[in-house]
Amino acid sequence: MGSWPDDVGIIAIELTIPSLYVDQEELEKYDGVSSGKYTVGLGQKAMGICTDREDINSLCLTVVHNLLEKNHIDYSEIGRLEVGTETIIDKSKSVKSVLMQLFEPHGVTDIEGIDTTNACFGGTAALFNAISWVESSAWNGKYALVVAADIAVYAKGAARPTGGAGAVAMLIGPNAPLVFDRGLRAVHMRHVYDFYKPDLSSEYPAVDSKLSIQCYLSALDKCYQSYCEKASKVFGQKIDLSFFDAILFHTPYCKLVQKSLARLHLNDFYLATPEHKVKKYAELKNLENIVLEETYFDKEVEKAALNSSTELFSTKTSPSLLVASQVGNMYTSSLYGGLVSLLISKKPSELAGNRVGLFSYGSGLASSFYSLKISEDANKFSALHKLISGLNSVSTSLSHRRKIEPEVFEKFMDIRQKSNHSAPYEPIGSIESFFPGTYYLTNIDEKYRRFYDRVSNAMNGHAH
Ligand code: ACO
């Protein structure tokens, strides 16, 4: 290929959420916990639910088909397809290979890329792979397509209300309206057993709750400090939160994200010069002598940081929490659901020129802080407009979901649990509430082979 492509980034983005949800206030009552525990304590409003009709393949088929259809992208225009997921239903056959059934009827099989797994980080790893491909000698001039998707379900107990499900697909290529900052990424990886899925017969993870929060916050500190150091060299200026118009986080539950933004504010204070500490962060002056690593669960430090970052949170992070508060943890797609939420929260003219910081975390652990810029180039304004208007259906989908009672949610969870890895299997969940264009599982045969169908996409006037 010729020259290195410019402005590699996101050209189109698509979100798929379940059509069913359970209300968190109703779940509090049903679970017999104190009122406000899930809604205020965790900051969650609702949780997306998949019955036995949906699995990781169906979610990914839906999001890919919808993205290509909506944006009038021909299957032959895709040269790489990457899937990031931790929802494993086959130890050998990738979700990517299942998605090839969309491409094969169009005679398209020359597509690189495969699945990537590490808890909630797989989607980001898939995205990084796609960017690298577009910037490499292997690039054939086509688009890369990145899919991040998961069904997050927990065993009965404290973690169950932090479930959710969703899928995000992103079309990656040069001259994009959302441009990744090149040569600027902070990464932090370690070996920890904070959240993992050692029982291959179960959908549920083993979670060390407190450790998972500590690992998330410590990875955030490490990544942010490393990013600030690297970015200060790239941009020749001191980097702190004022550098970003928006900061997005992997969102296990919204309260953790509010605490995370407060944590970055605390980092800014910690890294500030003595003069700035007094001038800019007067309200944190009592925390002058803290050791960051000792404060993950220090309520006084947390309260001071939260109180002094309320406005930062409402301007830079709160707009990105719409999908997370309504759908819950979507694991690999959670951070990108945050990007979708941000993009639909403002007019394109208000977003143009914004710099967005993104923190991706996957237990085990793998994490990264990186950034992108929403183009302010007048020539790209129509591309930005198109990208954002492609997300018009998100608010409609959220408001057209069907609420189910907590009892019914429990029943669905029991069915998922009992039918997990059964073959042959005929799903019993209804397809009535599915959004147009949704793929669903029709059956699993005696050889564990899965078959799917698609709800007619009235929007585009045809089925399958
Ligand atoms: N009103 C308001 N707040 C309340 C109420 C109430 N009635 N009752 C409790 N709370 C608050 C608590 O004070 C607590 O607040 P804090 O976190 O600020 O201290 C919060 O609600 C949670 O309550 P806890 O009793 O501390 O925690 P719980 O046992 O319910 O577990 C947890 C919460 C740890 C998040 C659990 O749901 C979990 O394990 N989730 C999965 C793991 C996870 O998401 N980890 C994050 C990173 S890893 C990943 O992404 C999977």
Side-chain angles (χ1 to χ4, degrees):
M1 294 305 300
S3 60
W4 212 8
D6 283 327
D7 291 350
V8 175
I10 303 173
I11 290 167
I13 184 164
E14 175 72 17
L15 170 78
T16 289
I17 55 165
S19 60
L20 301 177
Y21 73 96
V22 64
D23 179 86
Q24 290 280 12
E25 219 175 295
E26 292 181 9
L27 199 58
E28 283 169 354
K29 286 198 191 103
Y30 179 77
D31 287 348
V33 300
S34 59
S35 164
K37 180 163 184 188
Y38 302 160
T39 46
V40 180
L42 301 178
Q44 293 303 115
K45 293 193 170 79
M47 176 166 57
I49 308 297
C50 290
T51 67
D52 62 347
R53 278 283 175 197
E54 288 181 286
D55 63 14
I56 188 61
N57 293 338
S58 71
L59 282 179
C60 292
L61 285 162
T62 303
V63 81
V64 169
H65 199 150
N66 286 351
L67 179 129
L68 297 179
E69 199 167 63
K70 209 185 261 181
N71 292 279
H72 308 289
I73 303 287
D74 198 87
Y75 286 87
S76 62
E77 291 179 77
I78 306 298
R80 189 173 181 106
L81 173 56
E82 292 270 347
V83 179
T85 185
E86 58 167 303
T87 308
I88 307 299
I89 52 176
D90 192 298
K91 284 179 271 178
S92 171
K93 186 170 168 54
S94 62
V95 176
K96 153 69 184 293
S97 65
V98 174
L99 293 175
M100 287 311 296
Q101 68 191 301
L102 295 176
F103 293 80
E104 282 173 62
H106 303 269
V108 179
T109 55
D110 181 7
I111 301 188
E112 283 194 26
I114 213 73
D115 295 6
T116 305
T117 296
N118 188 89
C120 308
F121 192 75
T124 299
L127 176 64
F128 288 176
N129 286 346
I131 298 168
S132 299
W133 177 73
V134 175
E135 294 182 346
S136 78
S137 66
W139 187 49
N140 59 7
K142 297 189 178 189
Y143 295 120
L145 188 51
V146 173
V147 185
D150 274 302
I151 297 174
V153 282
Y154 290 92
K156 269 187 195 169
R160 184 160 268 191
T162 61
V168 171
M170 293 174 275
L171 191 70
I172 307 297
N175 306 316
L178 307 190
V179 185
F180 295 107
D181 285 319
R182 188 171 270 176
L184 180 56
R185 248 180 232 164
V187 170
H188 175 70
M189 302 214 180
R190 285 178 54 214
H191 168 56
V192 201
Y193 282 114
D194 61 327
F195 166 114
Y196 47 110
K197 293 181 180 162
D199 180 357
L200 295 172
S201 68
S202 166
E203 283 198 290
Y204 303 145
V207 197
D208 184 333
S209 300
K210 195 172 175 195
L211 181 62
S212 75
I213 295 166
Q214 183 179 323
C215 287
Y216 178 103
L217 294 174
S218 89
L220 178 65
D221 285 353
K222 292 277 185 302
C223 285
Y224 181 65
Q225 288 168 14
S226 163
Y227 176 91
C228 289
E229 198 185 323
K230 290 177 181 178
S232 65
K233 288 184 188 129
V234 173
F235 296 103
Q237 64 176 85
K238 167 124 182 78
I239 304 295
D240 56 23
L241 286 181
S242 63
F243 178 65
F244 303 98
D245 301 286
I247 322 249
L248 319 182
F249 298 83
H250 164 57
T251 308
Y253 50 96
C254 295
K255 195 60 183 283
L256 183 60
V257 165
Q258 186 167 1
K259 290 182 182 182
S260 296
L261 198 270
R263 186 89 199 161
L264 295 190
H265 180 57
L266 185 66
N267 270 270
D268 279 355
F269 164 74
Y270 190 73
L271 299 172
T273 58
E275 188 200 346
H276 265 112
K277 274 195 169 119
V278 180
K279 267 202 208 152
K280 239 176 127 178
Y281 305 97
E283 71 284 18
L284 294 177
K285 64 178 188 302
N286 293 340
L287 307 182
E288 183 112 52
N289 297 319
I290 56 158
V291 177
L292 271 186
E293 289 78 7
E294 291 170 3
T295 60
Y296 301 123
F297 298 104
D298 186 321
K299 288 287 169 201
E300 258 176 56
V301 171
E302 186 182 281
K303 199 171 159 203
L306 275 169
N307 286 343
S308 59
S309 61
T310 338
E311 207 184 315
L312 282 173
F313 174 71
S314 63
T315 52
K316 293 185 199 274
T317 296
S318 179
S320 64
L321 292 178
L322 172 72
V323 172
S325 68
Q326 288 290 343
V327 180
N329 195 351
M330 310 192 303
Y331 287 165
T332 52
S333 42
S334 161
L335 176 61
Y336 303 99
L339 180 58
V340 166
S341 304
L342 171 71
L343 292 170
I344 60 171
S345 71
K346 292 181 184 128
K347 292 192 195 116
S349 56
E350 291 169 319
L351 289 164
N354 280 192
R355 175 155 272 111
V356 182
L358 300 100
F359 174 64
S360 181
Y361 177 81
S363 293
L365 65 81
S367 60
S368 178
F369 194 103
Y370 67 101
S371 55
L372 63 81
K373 184 150 188 213
I374 304 179
S375 179
E376 53 195 333
D377 181 342
N379 296 325
K380 283 200 202 149
F381 194 69
S382 67
L384 177 61
H385 211 275
K386 192 173 162 214
L387 183 150
I388 294 170
S389 53
L391 293 170
N392 282 344
S393 57
V394 173
S395 314
T396 321
S397 297
L398 281 170
S399 58
H400 282 70
R401 294 183 300 170
R402 205 176 96 202
K403 187 173 82 170
I404 55 166
E405 307 302 316
E407 293 84 343
V408 181
F409 160 60
E410 286 272 336
K411 204 178 89 195
F412 287 157
M413 293 294 282
D414 288 345
I415 293 169
R416 281 193 79 87
Q417 195 171 321
K418 285 193 192 107
S419 64
N420 192 31
H421 292 295
S422 304
Y425 182 68
E426 298 273 343
I428 54 174
S430 162
I431 61 165
E432 225 172 77
S433 67
F434 283 157
F435 300 127
T438 301
Y439 278 83
Y440 58 91
L441 185 67
T442 54
N443 69 298
I444 302 174
D445 75 7
E446 65 291 348
K447 289 184 168 174
Y448 292 86
R449 294 177 300 191
R450 290 169 183 250
F451 299 90
Y452 301 89
D453 208 340
R454 189 184 189 209
V455 177
S456 163
N457 196 348
M459 189 180 69
N460 290 286
H462 55 81
H464 317 311

